Structures are given as C-alpha cells and as structure tokens.
Amino acid sequence: MPQAQRTAVDKALDLVEAVARAPRPPRLTDLAETVGLHRATAYRILLDLVRRGWVLRADDRYLPGTAVLLLSARAAHNSLTTLARPVLEDLSGHTALMVNLQVLERTGSRVVDVVRPDRLAMISTLLDETLPAHRFAGPLALVAALPPEARAPYLEPAVDAGHPLDGDAGLLADLARAEADGFAAEDGRNDQFVASLSQAVVPAGGVPVCALTLVGPSAEIDDRLGQLRSDLAAAVETLAGLLSGSHQEVRA
C-alpha cells in the first residue's frame, strides 16, 4: 500500500503482522524496514502495541503479545509460548514438577502455557486464568520486577479481596522480599497443600516479559528448595537467551 494511503491502523497492523511472520524475534530496525516506516515512527507505534498487549518486547526484540495469543489458537512460530515450550518441558522433566508460563495483564498475570506431569493431575493447571499477586507466586514475581511506580494496578485485587497491603504479611512486604531475592514463593495461599516458586524473565535494563513458575506439593518444594531455585534460575536464563536470540538450544 502506498505510504500516503496508510492509516495509523494500517501501520499498527503491518507491525503486528511483521512480528508474527518473522522467522525469529525481530529488532526495531528489522520491523521498520519490513513495513516501510521510519524507525522513529515504528518505535512510537510499537510502544502503544506493547502497552495494549499486541506485542511483547524482550530486550531489543519483539514477539507476538498476549492479545494475539488469546485471539488465535495457532500462535505464530516465534510466539512466546512456542519459544518457551521446550524450556517448560525440560524444567518439568528435570524437577518432576508442574511448570507454567505467565505474562502480565492489567491487574494480574495470565497462565498461557503449562506442562504438568501425570502424577500431579490433581493440581489445577489454571491455564488461561488470570491470577492476582497476593495469592500466586507468578504474578508476585512479575510485579516485583516492575518499577514501584508501575505496581499500583496490581495492588487493587488485594485491596478488593481484603488482603493487607502493609505489615510483614502484607503484599507490599511480599513484593519487597521478592524484589530483593529475585524469586517469589507462596505456600498454601490458593491450595492448602500446594506451593509454588517463580522467577521473572527480565531482559537487561528492561521490564519483565514473562515468568516461569514451578508448582507442586508443599512438602516436595520445601525439601528441595535450594536445588529448585537453581534449576528455575537456569531455565529463566535459557529462556532469556532464546528471547534475545543469543541462546539456540535447551539443556538435554
């Protein structure tokens, strides 16, 4: 389509489609060249697309966002779930625990993919559900990785539910601990006998793209916490590498 005839919607959709069609997560320069836009114009439009969930930004690369994944059961080849799936399978196989992938939405996180061993079939996958930070480790890890000024919308579900914000048992203290530690954990907040451990995937100097979460019986996670933290951190590092294009393989 000639440049003069392209509306703002055309340009935005051109960028969404270019991200989805790219053989590997593209950079801003690649996208601008592909759709025939000035780099600064493409960047301004991508900011809005990221804000609305149509595109995810991972370091200096872009992937299809949550909105695209929700509208299409056939995610693009380089969607977040496609890139992350081998990492989830590897981590679940290595730990014998359930592993899920979560992304931030407006007031919580959404579970977009899950690998659950048969032995843990009694534990709900919560697939496609939106989870609040005061009850689940995944959103807690993601919100803790945000700058403090961006956290306000994620506190509202806790307030609505009557969960305290202040004090040692409050959500603000949980966020502070998760930010300092790099991991978020919960035990029995959603299910009495189930615990989870989560870590956000955050490109250098960026905002969290997603979180990997281990879920399993409380006793198992408590007994193996040190090793599970190490396994989870390695998986997060691998996924961060895949998102940035610097890592090509998942551990065998």
Side-chain angles (χ1 to χ4, degrees):
M1 179 181 295
Q3 182 77 14
Q5 297 180 20
R6 295 167 74 188
T7 67
V9 173
D10 289 325
K11 295 171 185 176
L13 290 176
D14 286 345
L15 284 166
V16 171
E17 291 172 359
V19 170
R21 289 195 304 263
R24 63 195 297 262
R27 293 185 171 93
L28 171 61
T29 301
D30 302 324
L31 289 170
E33 182 178 349
T34 298
V35 303
L37 290 175
H38 189 278
R39 192 174 184 274
T41 301
Y43 178 72
R44 288 195 298 270
I45 297 172
L46 284 166
L47 284 178
D48 286 334
L49 291 173
V50 169
R51 178 176 58 83
R52 292 293 301 269
W54 288 97
V55 171
L56 280 172
R57 183 175 179 179
D59 198 4
D60 63 344
R61 295 180 181 272
Y62 295 86
L63 300 94
T66 306
V68 174
L69 302 181
L70 294 177
L71 287 177
S72 175
R74 295 173 55 201
H77 176 70
N78 272 310
S79 72
L80 177 63
T81 52
T82 299
L83 285 174
R85 183 70 182 191
V87 180
L88 269 66
E89 292 174 345
D90 179 72
L91 182 57
S92 180
H94 190 71
T95 62
L97 295 174
M98 181 161 67
V99 181
N100 70 44
L101 178 71
Q102 300 181 36
V103 296
L104 273 177
E105 294 197 336
R106 286 183 175 86
T107 59
S109 69
R110 183 176 294 273
V111 178
V112 294
D113 199 11
V114 181
V115 175
R116 180 179 63 182
D118 290 341
R119 73 183 189 91
L120 300 181
M122 77 294 293
I123 300 177
S124 172
T125 66
L126 301 176
L127 183 62
D128 204 33
E129 294 193 26
T130 302
L131 312 181
H134 65 284
R135 288 177 55 197
F136 296 91
L140 184 62
L142 286 164
V143 176
L146 291 172
E149 62 272 17
R151 296 175 183 174
Y154 303 98
L155 306 181
E156 294 175 6
V159 174
D160 293 342
H163 186 87
L165 294 183
D166 300 313
D168 190 60
L171 179 54
L172 293 176
D174 286 341
L175 288 169
R177 283 188 286 265
E179 181 180 12
D181 185 45
F183 294 87
E186 70 80 26
D187 191 342
R189 290 191 178 180
N190 185 62
D191 187 309
Q192 183 178 359
F193 303 106
V194 175
S196 55
L197 178 70
S198 186
Q199 188 174 30
V201 179
V202 186
V207 296
V209 174
C210 57
L212 291 179
T213 305
L214 287 165
V215 183
S218 296
E220 288 189 33
I221 290 184
D222 289 344
D223 289 346
R224 303 161 52 199
L225 186 58
Q227 184 59 53
L228 292 177
R229 285 167 62 101
S230 177
D231 293 337
L232 179 58
V236 165
E237 182 179 1
T238 296
L239 181 53
L242 290 170
L243 291 173
S244 67
S246 63
H247 195 290
Q248 300 300 322
E249 294 182 3
V250 176
R251 175 183 58 192

